[in-house]
């Protein structure tokens, strides 16, 4: 998928009511105070940074993707965005009051290292909020449930840390965080514009060698037909964990 296509899909996901509600909840859990310094790790195109700034915080957006950072800067002039890695944050010890990472940890080879960095940069009393999907729990309506299970599992296995979201609580406990809470909010995607999220499962499974090209194409054809008939159904449970640095 090209950057342009990926960014267009990200915009559609960001505008989804379930995702808007999830972001709003993450800001509540961060307990943003006026002027508080907070980082959004994996900021993408910068929407959450802009929303937190509107709430009175002083956010910084970080992303490993330089193209995303460039788009974020162009969309939100006057706000701060930097290219940086979640495991090597450009902050001093105890510099921040808040840390947020949304759909980031599944892409990391070592999520525990990222949590350790969060601990380092947060001041005592600072808040951390982690959001993410568990790649084994995607639910897709299909005429072939057995093949769908194979595809979802195979696609999950292509992700560096597909189960990071179910491990949020353990990661936070192991790092020393306190007052940990965990919530789940399920995003329901039925609009045909989200078809690439579904077809990507089949393409990932084919690339992993779990299904044949014919199986992938037939499944994609079925899902495309569902989208045309307003029968697409994808459910993605999103796990949201919050904690405090003692």
């Amino acid at each position: 998928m090209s950057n342009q296509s990926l960014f267009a899909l990200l915009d559609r996901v960001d505008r989804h009511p379930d995702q808007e509600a999830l972001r709003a909840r993450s800001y509540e859990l961060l307990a943003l105070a006026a002027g508080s310094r907070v980082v959004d790790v994996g900021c993408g195109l910068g929407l959450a940074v802009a929303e937190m700034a509107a709430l009175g915080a002083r956010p910084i957006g970080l992303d490993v993707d330089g193209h995303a950072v460039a788009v974020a800067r162009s969309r939100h002039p006057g706000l701060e965005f930097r290219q940086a890695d979640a495991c090597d944050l450009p902050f001093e010890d105890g510099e921040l009051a808040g840390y947020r990472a949304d759909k980031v940890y599944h892409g990391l080879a070592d999520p525990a290292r990222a949590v350790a960095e969060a601990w380092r940069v947060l001041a005592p009393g600072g808040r951390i909020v982690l959001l993410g999907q568990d790649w084994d729990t995607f639910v897709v309506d299909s005429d072939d449930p057995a093949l769908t299970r194979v595809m979802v599992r195979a696609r999950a296995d292509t992700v560096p840390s597909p189960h990071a979201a179910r491990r949020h609580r353990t990661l936070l406990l192991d790092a020393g965080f306190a007052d940990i809470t965990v919530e789940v909010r399920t995003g329901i995607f039925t609009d045909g514009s989200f078809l690439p999220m579904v077809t990507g499962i089949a393409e990932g499974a084919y690339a992993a060698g779990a299904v044949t090209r014919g199986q992938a194409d037939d499944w994609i054809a079925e899902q495309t037909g569902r989208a045309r008939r307003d029968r697409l159904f994808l459910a993605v449970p999103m796990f949201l964990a919050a904690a405090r640095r003692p």
Side-chain angles (χ1 to χ4, degrees), residues 179-241:
D179 301 331
I180 300 167
T181 61
V182 180
E183 303 175 11
V184 61
R185 305 285 182 94
T186 301
I188 305 294
F189 302 92
T190 59
D191 188 276
S193 65
F194 295 107
L195 181 63
M197 294 174 63
V198 178
T199 59
I201 295 172
E203 293 296 353
Y206 169 69
V211 298
T212 67
R213 183 70 259 175
Q215 286 175 311
D217 287 344
D218 288 346
W219 195 86
I220 289 171
E222 182 215 329
Q223 293 300 320
T224 301
R226 283 175 172 270
R228 289 171 181 161
R229 303 191 313 273
D230 191 24
R231 298 297 186 271
L232 189 73
F233 184 89
L234 168 67
V236 182
M238 295 291 296
F239 295 89
L240 189 156

Side-chain angles (χ1 to χ4, degrees), residues 138-188:
F138 284 26
V139 178
V140 184
D141 190 16
S142 169
D143 295 340
D144 193 339
L147 180 60
T148 302
R149 283 194 296 271
V150 170
M151 287 184 169
V152 169
R153 178 63 60 85
R155 177 66 179 92
D157 288 344
T158 68
V159 177
S161 296
H163 307 128
R166 71 177 69 173
R167 298 187 60 235
H168 282 164
R169 181 176 182 273
T170 295
L171 289 166
L172 292 168
L173 283 170
D174 289 349
F177 284 94
D179 301 331
I180 300 167
T181 61
V182 180
E183 303 175 11
V184 61
R185 305 285 182 94
T186 301
I188 305 294

Side-chain angles (χ1 to χ4, degrees), residues 10 18 21 24-25 34 46 59 70 95 97 111 132 134 144 177 236:
L10 290 176
D18 291 342
R25 179 60 178 153
E95 184 177 342
D134 186 296
D144 193 339
F177 284 94
V236 182

